PDB file of all heavy atoms in Angstrom:
ATOM      1  N   ILE S 319      75.055  91.865  94.664  1.00  0.00           N
ATOM      2  CA  ILE S 319      73.966  91.976  93.661  1.00  0.00           C
ATOM      3  C   ILE S 319      73.822  93.388  93.097  1.00  0.00           C
ATOM      4  O   ILE S 319      73.249  93.543  92.024  1.00  0.00           O
ATOM      5  CB  ILE S 319      72.624  91.502  94.298  1.00  0.00           C
ATOM      6  CG1 ILE S 319      71.549  91.179  93.230  1.00  0.00           C
ATOM      7  CG2 ILE S 319      72.049  92.556  95.292  1.00  0.00           C
ATOM      8  CD1 ILE S 319      71.913  90.042  92.374  1.00  0.00           C
ATOM      9  N   ILE S 377      70.737  96.594  89.373  1.00  0.00           N
ATOM     10  CA  ILE S 377      70.725  95.279  90.046  1.00  0.00           C
ATOM     11  C   ILE S 377      71.185  94.304  89.018  1.00  0.00           C
ATOM     12  O   ILE S 377      70.594  94.203  87.898  1.00  0.00           O
ATOM     13  CB  ILE S 377      69.298  94.967  90.583  1.00  0.00           C
ATOM     14  CG1 ILE S 377      68.948  95.961  91.697  1.00  0.00           C
ATOM     15  CG2 ILE S 377      69.242  93.559  91.122  1.00  0.00           C
ATOM     16  CD1 ILE S 377      67.486  96.017  91.974  1.00  0.00           C
ATOM     17  N   LYS S 378      72.149  93.528  89.371  1.00  0.00           N
ATOM     18  CA  LYS S 378      72.710  92.496  88.410  1.00  0.00           C
ATOM     19  C   LYS S 378      71.646  91.506  88.067  1.00  0.00           C
ATOM     20  O   LYS S 378      70.880  91.087  88.955  1.00  0.00           O
ATOM     21  CB  LYS S 378      73.944  91.855  88.983  1.00  0.00           C
ATOM     22  CG  LYS S 378      75.148  92.773  89.145  1.00  0.00           C
ATOM     23  CD  LYS S 378      76.290  92.082  89.845  1.00  0.00           C
ATOM     24  CE  LYS S 378      77.360  93.100  90.240  1.00  0.00           C
ATOM     25  NZ  LYS S 378      78.319  92.526  91.187  1.00  0.00           N
ATOM     26  N   GLY S 379      71.635  91.153  86.844  1.00  0.00           N
ATOM     27  CA  GLY S 379      70.623  90.115  86.411  1.00  0.00           C
ATOM     28  C   GLY S 379      69.385  90.729  85.792  1.00  0.00           C
ATOM     29  O   GLY S 379      68.640  90.070  85.073  1.00  0.00           O
ATOM     30  N   THR S 380      69.173  92.033  86.105  1.00  0.00           N
ATOM     31  CA  THR S 380      67.991  92.661  85.517  1.00  0.00           C
ATOM     32  C   THR S 380      68.368  93.286  84.177  1.00  0.00           C
ATOM     33  O   THR S 380      69.514  93.542  83.871  1.00  0.00           O
ATOM     34  CB  THR S 380      67.502  93.795  86.450  1.00  0.00           C
ATOM     35  OG1 THR S 380      68.538  94.746  86.626  1.00  0.00           O
ATOM     36  CG2 THR S 380      67.044  93.267  87.760  1.00  0.00           C
TER      37      THR S 380
ATOM     38  N   MET P  16      64.480  82.693  80.838  1.00  0.00           N
ATOM     39  CA  MET P  16      65.734  82.768  81.524  1.00  0.00           C
ATOM     40  C   MET P  16      66.077  84.210  82.024  1.00  0.00           C
ATOM     41  O   MET P  16      66.477  84.428  83.170  1.00  0.00           O
ATOM     42  CB  MET P  16      66.889  82.288  80.582  1.00  0.00           C
ATOM     43  CG  MET P  16      68.202  82.053  81.328  1.00  0.00           C
ATOM     44  SD  MET P  16      68.090  80.848  82.606  1.00  0.00           S
ATOM     45  CE  MET P  16      69.666  80.993  83.349  1.00  0.00           C
ATOM     46  N   GLU P  17      65.750  85.144  81.104  1.00  0.00           N
ATOM     47  CA  GLU P  17      65.987  86.550  81.450  1.00  0.00           C
ATOM     48  C   GLU P  17      65.119  86.967  82.649  1.00  0.00           C
ATOM     49  O   GLU P  17      65.583  87.646  83.557  1.00  0.00           O
ATOM     50  CB  GLU P  17      65.767  87.460  80.247  1.00  0.00           C
ATOM     51  CG  GLU P  17      66.736  87.359  79.135  1.00  0.00           C
ATOM     52  CD  GLU P  17      68.134  87.809  79.545  1.00  0.00           C
ATOM     53  OE1 GLU P  17      68.208  88.890  80.125  1.00  0.00           O
ATOM     54  OE2 GLU P  17      69.090  87.041  79.297  1.00  0.00           O
ATOM     55  N   LYS P  18      63.857  86.481  82.589  1.00  0.00           N
ATOM     56  CA  LYS P  18      62.924  86.833  83.644  1.00  0.00           C
ATOM     57  C   LYS P  18      63.325  86.184  84.965  1.00  0.00           C
ATOM     58  O   LYS P  18      63.201  86.776  86.030  1.00  0.00           O
ATOM     59  CB  LYS P  18      61.512  86.353  83.239  1.00  0.00           C
ATOM     60  CG  LYS P  18      60.830  87.330  82.309  1.00  0.00           C
ATOM     61  CD  LYS P  18      59.364  86.979  82.137  1.00  0.00           C
ATOM     62  CE  LYS P  18      58.666  87.999  81.203  1.00  0.00           C
ATOM     63  NZ  LYS P  18      57.309  87.634  80.924  1.00  0.00           N
ATOM     64  N   LEU P  19      63.847  84.960  84.855  1.00  0.00           N
ATOM     65  CA  LEU P  19      64.293  84.267  86.079  1.00  0.00           C
ATOM     66  C   LEU P  19      65.495  84.976  86.694  1.00  0.00           C
ATOM     67  O   LEU P  19      65.516  85.198  87.928  1.00  0.00           O
ATOM     68  CB  LEU P  19      64.693  82.794  85.686  1.00  0.00           C
ATOM     69  CG  LEU P  19      64.832  81.864  86.879  1.00  0.00           C
ATOM     70  CD1 LEU P  19      63.499  81.625  87.544  1.00  0.00           C
ATOM     71  CD2 LEU P  19      65.384  80.476  86.395  1.00  0.00           C
ATOM     72  N   LYS P  20      66.444  85.376  85.871  1.00  0.00           N
ATOM     73  CA  LYS P  20      67.584  86.110  86.333  1.00  0.00           C
ATOM     74  C   LYS P  20      67.192  87.460  87.008  1.00  0.00           C
ATOM     75  O   LYS P  20      67.678  87.816  88.054  1.00  0.00           O
ATOM     76  CB  LYS P  20      68.569  86.454  85.215  1.00  0.00           C
ATOM     77  CG  LYS P  20      69.533  85.296  84.896  1.00  0.00           C
ATOM     78  CD  LYS P  20      70.270  85.509  83.637  1.00  0.00           C
ATOM     79  CE  LYS P  20      71.332  86.526  83.674  1.00  0.00           C
ATOM     80  NZ  LYS P  20      72.087  86.678  82.406  1.00  0.00           N
ATOM     81  N   ALA P  21      66.218  88.156  86.341  1.00  0.00           N
ATOM     82  CA  ALA P  21      65.730  89.388  86.920  1.00  0.00           C
ATOM     83  C   ALA P  21      65.026  89.128  88.265  1.00  0.00           C
ATOM     84  O   ALA P  21      65.233  89.900  89.216  1.00  0.00           O
ATOM     85  CB  ALA P  21      64.774  90.067  85.932  1.00  0.00           C
ATOM     86  N   PHE P  22      64.225  88.067  88.325  1.00  0.00           N
ATOM     87  CA  PHE P  22      63.528  87.727  89.545  1.00  0.00           C
ATOM     88  C   PHE P  22      64.522  87.531  90.715  1.00  0.00           C
ATOM     89  O   PHE P  22      64.374  88.076  91.789  1.00  0.00           O
ATOM     90  CB  PHE P  22      62.627  86.503  89.319  1.00  0.00           C
ATOM     91  CG  PHE P  22      62.013  86.004  90.610  1.00  0.00           C
ATOM     92  CD1 PHE P  22      60.936  86.641  91.178  1.00  0.00           C
ATOM     93  CD2 PHE P  22      62.555  84.911  91.292  1.00  0.00           C
ATOM     94  CE1 PHE P  22      60.376  86.219  92.356  1.00  0.00           C
ATOM     95  CE2 PHE P  22      62.021  84.444  92.465  1.00  0.00           C
ATOM     96  CZ  PHE P  22      60.922  85.089  93.034  1.00  0.00           C
ATOM     97  N   PHE P  23      65.574  86.724  90.430  1.00  0.00           N
ATOM     98  CA  PHE P  23      66.534  86.418  91.463  1.00  0.00           C
ATOM     99  C   PHE P  23      67.322  87.707  91.846  1.00  0.00           C
ATOM    100  O   PHE P  23      67.660  87.926  92.940  1.00  0.00           O
ATOM    101  CB  PHE P  23      67.506  85.323  91.035  1.00  0.00           C
ATOM    102  CG  PHE P  23      66.922  83.963  91.247  1.00  0.00           C
ATOM    103  CD1 PHE P  23      66.614  83.132  90.200  1.00  0.00           C
ATOM    104  CD2 PHE P  23      66.641  83.506  92.521  1.00  0.00           C
ATOM    105  CE1 PHE P  23      66.054  81.846  90.411  1.00  0.00           C
ATOM    106  CE2 PHE P  23      66.067  82.252  92.766  1.00  0.00           C
ATOM    107  CZ  PHE P  23      65.789  81.432  91.698  1.00  0.00           C
ATOM    108  N   GLY P  24      67.598  88.500  90.810  1.00  0.00           N
ATOM    109  CA  GLY P  24      68.278  89.763  91.064  1.00  0.00           C
ATOM    110  C   GLY P  24      67.499  90.647  92.015  1.00  0.00           C
ATOM    111  O   GLY P  24      67.997  91.123  93.034  1.00  0.00           O
ATOM    112  N   TYR P  25      66.178  90.835  91.690  1.00  0.00           N
ATOM    113  CA  TYR P  25      65.389  91.665  92.587  1.00  0.00           C
ATOM    114  C   TYR P  25      65.229  91.046  93.973  1.00  0.00           C
ATOM    115  O   TYR P  25      65.241  91.742  94.978  1.00  0.00           O
ATOM    116  CB  TYR P  25      64.025  91.924  91.926  1.00  0.00           C
ATOM    117  CG  TYR P  25      64.048  93.013  90.908  1.00  0.00           C
ATOM    118  CD1 TYR P  25      63.721  92.704  89.556  1.00  0.00           C
ATOM    119  CD2 TYR P  25      64.374  94.312  91.258  1.00  0.00           C
ATOM    120  CE1 TYR P  25      63.730  93.750  88.616  1.00  0.00           C
ATOM    121  CE2 TYR P  25      64.397  95.308  90.278  1.00  0.00           C
ATOM    122  CZ  TYR P  25      64.082  95.009  88.949  1.00  0.00           C
ATOM    123  OH  TYR P  25      64.144  96.023  88.010  1.00  0.00           O
ATOM    124  N   ALA P  26      65.064  89.720  93.961  1.00  0.00           N
ATOM    125  CA  ALA P  26      64.900  89.025  95.261  1.00  0.00           C
ATOM    126  C   ALA P  26      66.152  89.214  96.141  1.00  0.00           C
ATOM    127  O   ALA P  26      66.047  89.545  97.319  1.00  0.00           O
ATOM    128  CB  ALA P  26      64.637  87.504  95.037  1.00  0.00           C
TER     129      ALA P  26
END
Side-chain angles (χ1 to χ4, degrees):
Chain S
I319 198 65
I377 295 165
K378 292 173 190 170
T380 59
Chain P
M16 191 61 186
E17 290 296 311
K18 280 188 177 176
L19 195 65
K20 275 169 73 178
F22 173 78
F23 279 114
Y25 280 118

